[in-house]
């Protein structure tokens, strides 16, 4: 009986207790519980985007802070990341289900030397949800793979992600190589990742730095609209 009392039934918690509990479960890398939490919130009528931002991304922010402060280490963060991915997996089809008309195409990848992919995956999901076709090159993407994909996929947008101060300069290598080959201006180049900022984006010659996935979608839409207007004028 005492055991039963100790067991936490997620479905019995009201939203304002369930969400912090999901942050705790994410922190502890409890994949099944995070997935269950996502299912419960969806069943209660939460919009997928709200579940993503308030339950998952907010939880990952806490993990990020404790990783920075040396309270959590790589194995724990990896477990948390896997729990986050499992939750995101459930939301992905729902976010993509908006039936929006095709807005354009994006090739995206995390740069060479960098294996962080949660932010990139989130951007991909949100872009797909907004009606973009997304070709994901994955992690550790070198310049040849980026350029090869530009040639074969012919996207409107190239997206690059970097989470390490040591890997963010690689974005400039890609952009410089595009310039050398005379193809820089054929694409809208968007960059993102926690250590970047607007100034860095400008300095490396990107079209824009986007601080999160929602800004990425807005920025992509604005650039595509501008391109179409130019095409009409020309
Ligand atoms: C999870 C995580 C890991 C996981 C990654 C799992 C995975 N599959 O991604 C693991 C445990 C593997 C890991 C490993 C390492 N990590 Co790490 N990691 C993190 C952590 C805690 C969270 C990152 C994250 O997923 N955030 C959540 C997402 C949603 O946010 P985001 O990535 O910023 O993405 C958003 C925006 O930036 C933007 N965005 C992102 N990409 C793009 C791309 C485009 C085109 C656009 C438009 C927008 C955009 O939109 C996204 C969605 O809103 C961060 C801490 C932090 N505060 O960032 C450290 C952090 C990035 N890691 C760090 C370090 C040092 C490492 C390691 C070197 C540790 C080690 N000693 O081994 C290794 C690196 C290995 C490598 N070669 O890449 C440092 C980097 C410090 C620095 N100055 O460079 C950080 C900042 C932690 C810290 N404070 O010390 N890490």
């Amino acid at each position: 009986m005492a055991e039963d009392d100790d067991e936490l039934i997620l479905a019995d918690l009201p939203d304002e207790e369930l969400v912090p509990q999901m942050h705790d479960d994410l922190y502890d890398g409890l994949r099944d519980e995070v997935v269950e939490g996502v299912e419960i919130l969806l069943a209660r009528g939460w919009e997928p985007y709200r579940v993503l931002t308030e339950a998952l991304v907010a939880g990952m922010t806490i993990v990020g802070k404790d990783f920075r402060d040396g309270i959590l280490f790589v194995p724990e963060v990896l477990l948390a990341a896997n729990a986050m991915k499992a939750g995101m997996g459930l939301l992905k089809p729902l976010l993509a289900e908006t039936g929006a008309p095709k807005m354009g195409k994006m090739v995206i990848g995390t740069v060479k030397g960098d294996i962080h992919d949660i932010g990139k995956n989130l951007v991909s999901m949100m872009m797909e949800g907004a009606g973009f076709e997304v070709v994901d090159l994955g992690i550790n993407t070198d310049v040849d793979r980026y350029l090869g994909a530009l040639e074969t996929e012919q996207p409107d947008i190239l997206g690059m992600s970097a989470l390490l101060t040591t890997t963010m300069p690689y974005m400039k290598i890609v952009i410089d190589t595009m310039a050398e080959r005379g193809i820089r201006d054929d694409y809208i180049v968007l960059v993102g990742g926690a250590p970047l900022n607007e100034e860095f984006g400008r300095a490396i010659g990107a079209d824009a730095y986007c601080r999160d996935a929602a800004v990425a979608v807005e920025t992509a839409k604005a650039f595509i609209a501008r391109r179409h207007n130019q095409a009409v004028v020309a």
Side-chain angles (χ1 to χ4, degrees), residues 60-197:
M60 203 61 197
T61 306
I62 304 169
V63 172
K65 283 188 185 132
D66 281 3
F67 188 33
R68 180 196 61 206
D69 297 341
I71 298 165
L72 286 180
F73 296 96
V74 170
E76 290 115 322
V77 178
L78 210 46
L79 281 177
N82 283 338
M84 167 114 184
K85 279 188 182 177
M88 278 164 58
L90 229 68
L91 298 174
K92 185 175 175 172
L94 302 173
L95 287 166
E97 228 173 47
T98 56
K102 280 282 159 261
M103 294 288 302
K105 188 172 180 180
M106 179 188 216
V107 160
I108 191 168
T110 301
V111 297
K112 185 177 167 187
D114 203 320
I115 63 166
H116 295 88
D117 66 357
I118 295 177
K120 167 187 69 63
N121 295 346
L122 237 145
V123 171
S124 301
M125 276 167 52
M126 295 285 296
M127 291 288 288
E128 280 175 354
F132 286 86
E133 182 184 350
V134 177
V135 178
D136 188 346
L137 304 178
I139 54 171
N140 202 14
T141 312
D142 67 18
V143 63
D144 289 339
R145 259 178 65 223
Y146 278 120
L147 267 59
L150 293 182
E151 201 175 315
T152 51
E153 301 294 342
Q154 292 294 316
D156 305 284
I157 304 170
L158 169 65
M160 290 188 280
S161 181
L163 266 287
L164 299 172
T165 43
T166 48
T167 56
M168 52 194 252
Y170 196 80
M171 294 174 165
K172 181 163 172 11
I173 295 180
V174 177
I175 295 174
D176 286 351
T177 311
M178 288 167 73
E180 275 164 26
R181 303 208 183 156
I183 58 165
R184 165 64 189 90
D185 294 337
D186 297 346
Y187 304 96
I188 299 158
V189 179
L190 302 183
V191 294
L196 279 64
N197 56 32

